[in-house]
Amino acid sequence: QVQLVESGGGLVQFGGSLTLSCAASGVPLDHYTWAWFRQAPGKGREAVSCISGTDAMTYYEDSVKGRFTMTIDNAKNTMHLQMNSLKPEDAAVYYCAVYTSDYLPPNCLTYEASEYSYWGVGTQVTVSS
């Protein structure tokens, strides 16, 4: 049984930092493509970062480049999203997800949310201005 559990969300001031974690069980992190998505109220779910299962390249959505860092700890089967210089527009529910299809186009940021096989329940990030 696959289970993804996010943690680390909370309230942070503008310019502050948070580190999100996603603990995975039932699926190895070092084989598939993994992603962090976020969803703000009234908006669709968007991918902010992903690590490709083919070449381990990490991709970032333009608005978070230089501020967010996604890493994977294979020993602990956990992935992290270090978020620095947070802005009010970063406020959202953040989800981790795993893509298990064998079809792997380049740039995992282009994969639709519906194509991901398993999701965590999300963790809320709130940024005060």
Side-chain angles (χ1 to χ4, degrees), residues 40-59:
K43 295 187 177 181
R45 197 167 291 191
E46 65 169 351
V48 295
S49 181
C50 59
I51 292 179
S52 171
T54 54
D55 56 12
M57 285 191 63
T58 307
Y59 297 84

Side-chain angles (χ1 to χ4, degrees), residues 89-110:
E89 51 263 44
D90 294 317
V93 178
Y94 282 72
Y95 301 88
C96 59
V98 60
Y99 177 94
T100 60
S101 172
D102 291 332
Y103 176 61
L104 293 165
N107 193 348
C108 44
L109 277 181
T110 65

Side-chain angles (χ1 to χ4, degrees), residues 6-23:
E6 301 97 338
S7 61
L11 173 63
V12 64
Q13 289 187 333
F14 176 85
S17 299
L18 280 175
T19 299
L20 306 183
S21 298
C22 174

